[in-house]
């Protein structure tokens, strides 16, 4: 890490840092010469990037390939209404440079993969994980271990958040916390389960704090500790983390989609297991107009149905309760199941097939696809 000199602009801008014994001129020079890579510009990346830029970090890299959606703005505060439909990278870069016009911003408008991760992470002093899925978390972790980079971790869901620092000094890494990923679908995403808008602000600021401390070489980091935050009850807890002495060394990157059980395409049913049918919204509309009269089951939560529902819905049973409530469903009719995006209804369809229902069809894409392709007047969430 280089330590460039401060000029009059720097001294005026960072005067409150310079007054801190733990920062001072020497520390601010470290920040000016430091480089940080943030994977993701969503809920966690938003406050993190804003505060790293404001702190005077000289080089910031961002990995993201998504565009700004209106539903992001409830929590992703680096983006604004004028940026809807634009690449998140461009929105984030413009905001960073508005805060700190001297910051070098590197943009990587790609999905982070096993093929490009080592090359992208290599130039940076610290890597910050602002992702929301298990394959990328394991990928970031393993790449950091191989490259010897600290990994500042955060995650959020509903009202709860976690933060830690992995692979710092002789501390543990993400696999010491989660040696194996959970079964696919067990942990719903924020898009499925929701998240309090201010929650990523708290966890992202904690990640920014840990990053700045690492760059300064000051304080006690969260390495070896998992910080748990319960926003609903305003409570912080801490768990100790230790390295697993029996863990296999991480020496190469793997197929993380496969490792986490995420299918690359439509999975093939087992030979001895009858499959449910799948239908796209355009085909479903056509068949309904031609006289198809299935029993239509909404497998979301009741509060989701309060937002929007298909007008021809017959019943609502949350997907995790379907197996216990099969007696409420007709066995002499086709059953069409749907949810927000088609994931939970797919699990409900599996449960119905396992319970002996012979004609079950999942609406692929759910109400989101119906709103996008059939009825744009329907609200989306």
């Amino acid at each position: 890490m280089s330590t460039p000199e401060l000029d009059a602009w720097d001294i005026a801008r960072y005067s409150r840092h310079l007054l801190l014994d733990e920062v001072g001129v020497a520390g601010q020079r470290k920040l000016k010469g430091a480089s940080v890579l943030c994977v993701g510009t969503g809920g966690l990346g938003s406050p993190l990037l804003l505060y790293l830029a404001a702190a005077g970090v000289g080089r910031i890299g961002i990995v993201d390939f998504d565009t700004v959606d209106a539903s992001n703005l409830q929590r992703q505060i680096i983006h604004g209404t004028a940026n809807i439909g634009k690449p998140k990278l461009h929105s984030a870069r413009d905001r960073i440079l508005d805060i700190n016009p001297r910051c070098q911003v590197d943009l990587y408008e790609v999905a982070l993969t096993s093929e490009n991760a080592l090359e992208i992470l290599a130039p940076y002093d610290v890597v910050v994980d602002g992702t929301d899925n298990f394959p990328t978390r394991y990928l970031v972790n393993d790449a950091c271990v191989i490259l010897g980079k600290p990994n500042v971790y955060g995650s959020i869901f509903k009202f709860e958040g976690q933060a830690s620092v992995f692979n710092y000094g002789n501390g543990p890494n993400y696999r010491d916390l989660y040696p194996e990923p959970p079964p696919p679908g067990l942990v719903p995403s924020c898009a499925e389960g929701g998240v309090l808008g201010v929650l990523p602000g708290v966890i992202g600021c904690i990640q920014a704090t840990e990053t700045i401390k690492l760059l300064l070489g000051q304080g006690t980091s969260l390495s070896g500790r998992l910080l748990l935050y319960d926003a609903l009850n305003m409570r912080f807890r801490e768990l100790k983390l230790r390295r697993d002495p029996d863990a296999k060394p991480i020496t190469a990157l793997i197929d993380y989609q496969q490792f986490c059980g995420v299918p690359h395409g439509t999975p093939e049913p087992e030979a001895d297991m009858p499959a449910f049918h799948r239908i796209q919204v355009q085909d479903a509309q056509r068949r309904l107009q031609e006289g198809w009269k299935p029993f239509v089951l909404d497998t979301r939560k009741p509060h989701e149905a309060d937002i929007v529902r298909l007008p021809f819905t017959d019943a609502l049973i949350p997907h995790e309760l379907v197996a216990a409530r099969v007696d409420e469903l007709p066995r002499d009719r086709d059953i069409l199941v749907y949810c927000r995006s088609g994931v939970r209804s797919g699990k409900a369809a599996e449960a119905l097939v396992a319970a002996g229902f012979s004609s079950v069809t999942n609406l692929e894409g759910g109400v989101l696809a119906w709103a996008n392709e059939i009825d744009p007047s329907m609200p989306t969430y």
Side-chain angles (χ1 to χ4, degrees):
M1 184 192 305
S2 64
T3 53
E5 296 290 340
L6 304 183
D7 59 19
W9 187 92
D10 295 316
I11 291 171
R13 174 67 65 103
Y14 305 113
S15 60
R16 299 303 186 271
H17 272 179
L18 303 182
L19 295 172
L20 296 172
D21 291 341
E22 294 82 358
V23 183
V25 172
Q28 195 63 45
R29 289 176 62 192
K30 288 181 181 179
L31 295 178
K32 186 175 181 179
S35 59
V36 177
L37 180 73
C38 179
V39 184
T41 57
L44 294 172
S46 289
L48 167 78
L49 290 167
L50 293 174
Y51 275 108
L52 291 182
V57 172
R59 181 183 181 188
I60 296 176
I62 319 171
V63 184
D64 205 309
F65 60 95
D66 200 4
T67 57
V68 179
D69 184 80
S71 65
N72 301 148
L73 303 183
Q74 164 251 16
R75 63 202 177 280
Q76 299 181 17
I77 57 172
I78 203 168
H79 312 297
T81 301
N83 303 118
I84 292 175
K86 298 178 181 178
K88 288 184 177 180
L89 283 183
H90 298 176
S91 173
R93 175 200 58 203
D94 294 346
R95 188 72 181 95
I96 289 170
L97 293 177
D98 184 44
I99 294 172
N100 181 0
R102 291 189 171 184
C103 182
Q104 175 184 329
V105 184
D106 306 328
L107 304 183
Y108 302 94
E109 197 167 0
V110 296
L112 198 69
T113 67
S114 298
E115 287 70 37
N116 62 23
L118 296 178
E119 180 181 359
I120 292 175
L121 270 61
Y124 298 91
D125 300 314
V126 176
V127 177
V128 188
D129 184 352
T131 62
D132 61 357
N133 65 86
F134 288 101
T136 310
R137 286 175 187 161
Y138 280 100
L139 170 58
V140 170
N141 176 79
D142 292 2
C144 284
V145 171
I146 292 171
L147 293 169
K149 308 282 185 183
N151 172 17
V152 182
Y153 161 78
S155 68
I156 53 172
F157 180 62
K158 291 190 174 181
F159 293 91
E160 298 180 350
Q162 300 180 352
S164 189
V165 173
F166 295 128
N167 197 49
Y168 181 60
N170 200 38
N173 65 69
Y174 183 71
R175 287 180 181 266
D176 293 310
L177 175 62
Y178 298 114
E180 299 288 338
L186 181 65
V187 181
S189 68
C190 290
E192 296 288 347
V195 62
L196 181 69
V198 73
L199 176 64
V202 176
I203 301 301
C205 284
I206 291 172
Q207 289 179 281
T209 304
E210 290 299 289
T211 301
I212 292 170
K213 285 161 52 184
L214 294 181
L215 296 173
L216 293 172
Q218 294 286 352
T220 302
S221 79
L222 281 174
S223 178
R225 298 181 289 157
L226 180 67
L227 186 67
L228 305 174
Y229 174 54
D230 176 356
L232 200 58
N233 297 297
M234 195 49 68
R235 180 178 299 138
F236 285 91
R237 294 187 299 123
E238 210 177 87
L239 299 177
K240 290 185 177 179
L241 294 179
R242 296 182 176 86
R243 292 184 61 184
D244 180 359
D246 299 321
K248 295 180 180 179
I250 300 169
T251 59
L253 302 181
I254 60 175
D255 183 335
Y256 292 90
Q257 299 289 324
Q258 183 182 53
F259 175 67
C260 294
V262 178
H264 291 281
T266 302
E268 294 294 330
E270 297 180 14
D272 58 349
M273 180 69 177
F276 59 85
H277 306 290
R278 304 171 188 271
I279 193 168
Q280 302 298 320
V281 292
Q282 297 281 359
D283 293 332
Q285 183 197 37
R286 175 183 54 78
R287 289 189 60 189
L288 290 168
Q289 291 175 339
E290 292 173 351
W292 186 37
K293 297 187 181 300
F295 184 90
V296 181
L297 176 63
D298 184 349
T299 63
R300 300 172 299 156
K301 302 287 187 183
H303 63 267
E304 293 179 85
D306 291 339
I307 301 171
V308 63
R309 67 189 303 175
L310 297 181
F312 44 83
T313 302
D314 293 300
L316 185 150
I317 303 176
H319 78 282
E320 68 272 20
L321 302 178
V322 167
R325 295 173 59 179
V326 292
D327 290 343
E328 301 176 29
L329 304 175
R331 291 181 178 270
D332 58 350
R333 292 175 61 184
D334 294 345
I335 296 181
L336 176 66
V337 292
Y338 76 89
C339 64
R340 176 180 178 271
S341 64
V343 176
R344 286 173 289 172
S345 55
K347 296 184 182 303
E350 290 177 353
L352 291 174
V353 169
F357 286 79
S358 59
S359 183
V360 181
T361 301
N362 185 42
L363 184 67
E364 300 291 287
V367 292
L368 288 182
W370 194 274
N372 290 331
E373 300 180 35
I374 305 298
D375 185 1
S377 69
M378 290 174 56
T380 57
Y381 64 100

